[in-house]
Amino acid sequence: MRYTNPDRPGVSETAEESLRQENQNLRRQLEELKALGHGSPSDSRPPVLWHPSGITIWAILLGAAVLVAVAFFAGYIPLRKQQNLLASEEQQRAESLPRVEVIEVSRSTRNSDLELPGNIQAVTEAPILARASGYISRRLVDIGDRVKAGQELAEIDAPELDDQVRQAKATVEQARASLDQATANLQQGQADMDLARVTAERWSVLVTRGAVSRQENDQYQAQFKSKAASVRALEKAVNVQRNSVAAAESNVARLENMQSYRFVRAPFDGVITLRNVDTGALVNAGNTLLFRVAQTGALRTYVNVPQTNASSVRPGQAAALTVSNLPGREFAGTVARSSNALDPASRTLLVEVHVPNPTGELLPGMYAQVDLSSARTHPPFLIPGDALIVRADGAQVAVVQKDHTVHLQKIQVGRDYGDRLEVVSGLREGDTIVPNPGDVVREGVKVDPVPVADTAGQQAAKSGK
């Protein structure tokens, strides 16, 4: 490439010659400046200023860019190589450690899920037995019939009982006649006593006047005392006869009550759940079961609560019942009472739950699932069931510490849900455990922890999901 020199117009030069010429000009100007600085004060020539050309500016910029590029490659490339080396070493170290899946321990829900089997029974259920001996003359109800309190269920023919009632009434009449006779004897005795008293009083006056002897007076005084004792005896006899009359009347009342038991009646409103006799059957008082009546307007369910949950169930707590023959239905109930003592054989607490049954959909004898869920102030930790390690020194879990070291931590297990376990003590909030520890998980071994969620995401990515 050729350039035109401004000092020599019309003459073309190469770039090298142009640069050499510029260099000479710069030297000449520098010498002039030196001479100007050391010259006499009278020298008033103006200084010659340097005006670089465009090629000079481009050369300077090009040199600066070259220096920047050299500095960049001299510093960045070694740094990048060092970073790659460290990453490669870290990857090799991570690949050399066993990779295990880990999860972070979390607390269970505040609601304590407790669902137990229970047996539904009627709140009130009574067997109806015969109170009178005889034959069933009429049967008025059958199983499934709804009855009211006092309604007749059956009638018993008991002729022997009728004869006993008539005999007892005759005994009452006989006792009353004996009472009348004793009363008459008492009246006669009282009359004799009054006469003896008057006579004794008169003889007492005569003996003071000396008209009669003391011997005669003593006889009349003793006769009065004898009559008084006879009256007291007659009064006792009257009381005895009155008691006999009362006993006879009581016997009549008893037999009449027994006679009223010929009509078997319902003790309360309910449903006939059992009929054990038919017309013409012979029944014995106190031994023959005739019917069974149950109140089904409200039912009770007995539930055996394990010892670990016994303290969380209390009277007044809400409950919910479900039965297999009514899917999707839930019946609300309330804990009525508990036994307040554990069965030593099963270590369970017997709890009674009352359930309203106005429509009669629930039947006594049903098998139900009772939900006794309640709120907990300090819910326990929840871990997978496979995370539990059972050793000779107790239950443990594999905890991965912050330095990726495995520590076998002893725990106390609470409720067992099958695939999950509640941990009462031994773990802290934020602990990381191995959900399914294998043979590589041992005390003190270093591992490469991989969160379960990340592993699942990688597998999903590989499968294209």
Side-chain angles (χ1 to χ4, degrees):
M1 180 178 295
R2 303 186 66 87
Y3 297 89
T4 302
N5 191 340
D7 298 332
R8 300 167 63 186
V11 180
S12 298
E13 296 178 345
T14 63
E16 184 178 356
E17 294 175 351
S18 176
L19 288 175
R20 187 179 297 111
Q21 185 65 33
E22 290 290 339
N23 191 11
Q24 292 177 358
N25 292 335
L26 288 174
R27 288 180 180 178
R28 186 176 59 254
Q29 292 177 2
L30 180 61
E31 290 177 356
E32 291 177 355
L33 290 174
K34 289 181 179 181
L36 182 61
H38 296 282
S40 62
S42 61
D43 192 357
S44 61
R45 289 181 301 174
V48 178
L49 298 178
W50 177 60
H51 298 282
S53 65
I55 296 175
T56 303
I57 296 174
W58 279 105
I60 294 173
L61 293 177
L62 181 61
V66 170
L67 292 175
V68 171
V70 170
F72 174 77
F73 285 104
Y76 174 75
I77 292 178
L79 179 62
R80 183 63 180 175
K81 289 182 178 180
Q82 184 178 6
Q83 290 178 350
N84 292 336
L85 180 60
L86 293 176
S88 177
E89 292 178 353
E90 179 67 21
Q91 183 176 2
Q92 291 178 0
R93 185 184 64 83
E95 290 177 353
S96 64
L97 296 177
R99 299 171 64 89
V100 295
E101 296 181 345
V102 295
I103 60 171
E104 186 175 346
V105 173
S106 61
R107 291 191 177 273
S108 179
T109 59
R110 289 193 173 272
N111 290 332
S112 175
D113 297 332
L114 180 61
E115 188 170 344
L116 299 170
N119 297 318
I120 298 178
Q121 299 181 13
V123 172
T124 305
E125 186 174 10
I128 309 300
L129 279 75
R131 290 295 307 275
S133 299
Y135 293 92
I136 301 293
S137 61
R138 290 191 305 161
R139 180 180 57 78
L140 305 177
V141 294
D142 208 338
I143 58 173
D145 292 345
R146 295 188 174 274
V147 296
K148 298 292 184 179
Q151 180 179 340
E152 291 186 5
L153 307 180
E155 182 180 355
I156 301 175
D157 185 12
E160 294 87 354
L161 186 58
D162 296 338
D163 294 339
Q164 291 176 5
V165 170
R166 287 191 294 269
Q167 182 180 359
K169 289 181 178 180
T171 303
V172 169
E173 295 299 328
Q174 184 178 0
R176 286 176 179 174
S178 298
L179 175 61
D180 294 340
Q181 183 179 359
T183 302
N185 293 334
L186 175 60
Q187 292 174 355
Q188 182 179 356
Q190 287 177 345
D192 293 342
M193 183 188 68
D194 291 339
L195 179 58
R197 178 175 55 79
V198 173
T199 303
E201 289 175 354
R202 288 176 179 174
W203 281 88
S204 296
V205 174
L206 292 175
V207 77
T208 56
R209 294 179 180 177
V212 295
S213 64
R214 289 182 176 274
Q215 178 67 30
E216 292 175 335
N217 180 47
D218 292 339
Q219 290 178 355
Y220 286 110
Q221 296 298 329
Q223 188 178 14
F224 169 66
K225 293 179 180 179
S226 176
K227 295 295 183 181
S230 298
V231 168
R232 287 195 295 271
L234 291 173
E235 289 177 350
K236 297 291 185 182
V238 169
N239 290 333
V240 169
Q241 293 302 323
R242 286 176 179 171
N243 291 335
S244 297
V245 171
E249 291 177 346
S250 177
N251 188 37
V252 170
R254 181 183 66 84
L255 292 173
E256 286 179 346
N257 287 334
M258 293 294 295
Q259 196 175 29
S260 66
Y261 291 143
R262 294 187 302 109
F263 300 96
V264 181
R265 302 180 186 277
F268 48 78
D269 296 350
V271 178
I272 302 296
T273 60
L274 174 66
R275 174 184 61 81
N276 199 38
V277 294
D278 209 337
T279 303
L282 175 63
V283 297
N284 296 319
N287 293 326
T288 305
L289 177 64
L290 305 181
F291 305 96
R292 185 179 292 275
V293 182
Q295 255 183 356
T296 59
L299 301 175
R300 57 184 174 182
T301 304
Y302 287 107
V303 182
N304 292 315
V305 179
Q307 179 179 348
T308 55
N309 307 104
S311 59
S312 63
V313 178
R314 58 186 59 86
Q317 178 180 338
L321 273 75
T322 56
V323 291
S324 59
N325 60 312
L326 296 174
R329 296 289 307 278
E330 189 173 85
F331 301 89
T334 306
V335 176
R337 61 186 60 86
S338 68
S339 61
N340 289 324
L342 297 182
D343 183 2
S346 60
R347 304 298 178 191
T348 56
L349 177 71
L350 183 62
V351 175
E352 181 179 336
V353 179
H354 284 188
V355 183
N357 188 35
T359 58
E361 292 179 294
L362 296 177
L363 303 177
M366 278 185 171
Y367 176 84
Q369 289 290 333
V370 183
D371 186 3
L372 295 174
S373 300
S374 60
R376 295 178 290 189
T377 56
H378 299 287
F381 292 104
L382 198 65
I383 64 173
D386 295 338
L388 183 65
I389 303 174
V390 181
R391 300 284 175 85
D393 52 350
Q396 301 173 346
V397 292
V399 178
V400 179
Q401 299 177 345
K402 293 182 178 180
D403 58 351
H404 297 177
T405 303
V406 174
H407 171 61
L408 298 182
Q409 177 67 39
K410 292 184 179 180
I411 62 172
Q412 181 180 354
V413 180
R415 294 170 57 185
D416 187 354
Y417 297 102
D419 59 336
R420 297 167 298 159
L421 296 173
E422 286 186 354
V423 178
V424 179
S425 62
L427 293 178
R428 296 176 297 178
E429 192 80 29
D431 282 348
T432 302
I433 66 171
V434 181
N436 191 7
D439 296 336
V440 297
V441 178
R442 299 183 303 275
E443 178 67 29
V445 68
K446 281 188 171 294
V447 297
D448 180 20
V450 179
V452 173
D454 293 347
T455 303
Q458 293 174 2
Q459 292 177 354
K462 291 179 181 179
S463 61
K465 296 181 180 179

